[in-house]
Amino acid sequence: GAVVSQHPSWVICKSGTSVKIECRSLDFQATTMFWYRQFPKQSLMLMATSNEGSKATYEQGVEKDKFLINHASLTLSTLTVTSAHPEDSSFYICSARDRPQTYEQYFGPGTRLTVT
Amino acid sequence: AQSVTQPDIHITVSEGASLELRCNYSYGATPYLFWYVQSPGQGLQLLLKYFSGDTLVQGIKGFEAEFKRSQSSFNLRKPSVHWSDAAEYFCAVGSWGKFQFGAGTQVVVTP
């Protein structure tokens, strides 16, 4: 149980285009989903927290107009990188929480984004 | 300021030898503590967690961790490593509903 999937697992896009990454909780309803960014050989940095049906809360320094997050249902959250540039190339990981009062998060396998 | 520190960026260990990965945190109260493992190009897998109670926590794959409040530490141990334990290990602290991750420790296992 508690499986989180991400799609696509890797994507290459051209500079200036937008790309959407999906995060799905397969066997539970996710009240909260998180989006992380991981640069090579570095740790995960929290980008934003999204609760179903409400606006995402972005961490300081994360451009909300560039990284659009939508959490339209209890099983799906999307991250759209708008007008992507090479510096946006990274490994994006989502996680989900099944209960509001728990700290436990279930992580997706990640999406490798390369912007050329 | 709140922080999570993994002092060792890289550890090399022989197969069959013991392994200990260090994690120190700085938080106002006792946070919730986690250890995750990440294989190359993969997501994170939870090894174990500590919320309260017994300070020695058993996890999957033969790992255990000990919470020491006096030292603000949550070190991960395994008595005998296997080649498949080669990976990146992250300590994480949960506070105010969010996670903060340490920088990670890369474990290399030699024959």
Side-chain angles (χ1 to χ4, degrees), chain B residues 26-48:
Chain B
S26 174
Y27 274 78
T30 301
Y32 299 99
L33 300 161
F34 303 80
W35 274 100
Y36 286 89
V37 60
Q38 184 181 36
S39 297
Q42 302 294 315
L44 275 69
Q45 181 181 23
L46 178 66
L47 289 174
L48 46 77

Side-chain angles (χ1 to χ4, degrees), chain A residues 93-105:
Chain A
I93 301 176
C94 74
S95 70
R97 194 164 66 193
D98 60 353
R99 288 166 289 159
Q101 301 304 321
T102 180
Y103 280 93
E104 190 155 1
Q105 298 180 22

Side-chain angles (χ1 to χ4, degrees), chain A residues 38 43 59 97 103-104 108-109, chain B residues 32 38 43 49 97-99 102:
Chain A
Q38 185 181 29
S43 188
E59 295 300 300
R97 194 164 66 193
Y103 280 93
E104 190 155 1
Chain B
Y32 299 99
Q38 184 181 36
K49 60 190 176 188
K98 298 190 290 189
F99 273 10

Side-chain angles (χ1 to χ4, degrees), chain B residues 53-109:
Chain B
D54 192 346
T55 57
L56 185 62
V57 182
Q58 301 298 320
I60 63 170
K61 303 184 176 185
F63 285 93
E64 66 177 24
E66 186 172 13
F67 169 64
K68 292 185 177 180
R69 184 189 305 274
S70 61
Q71 299 177 19
S72 296
S73 69
F74 188 56
N75 294 348
L76 181 71
R77 299 192 293 255
K78 185 169 184 177
S80 177
V81 298
H82 187 263
W83 63 266
S84 60
D85 293 324
E88 185 90 17
Y89 291 79
F90 292 98
C91 178
V93 172
S95 180
W96 294 102
K98 298 190 290 189
F99 273 10
Q100 183 169 354
F101 286 87
T105 298
Q106 180 73 45
V107 173
V108 174
V109 180

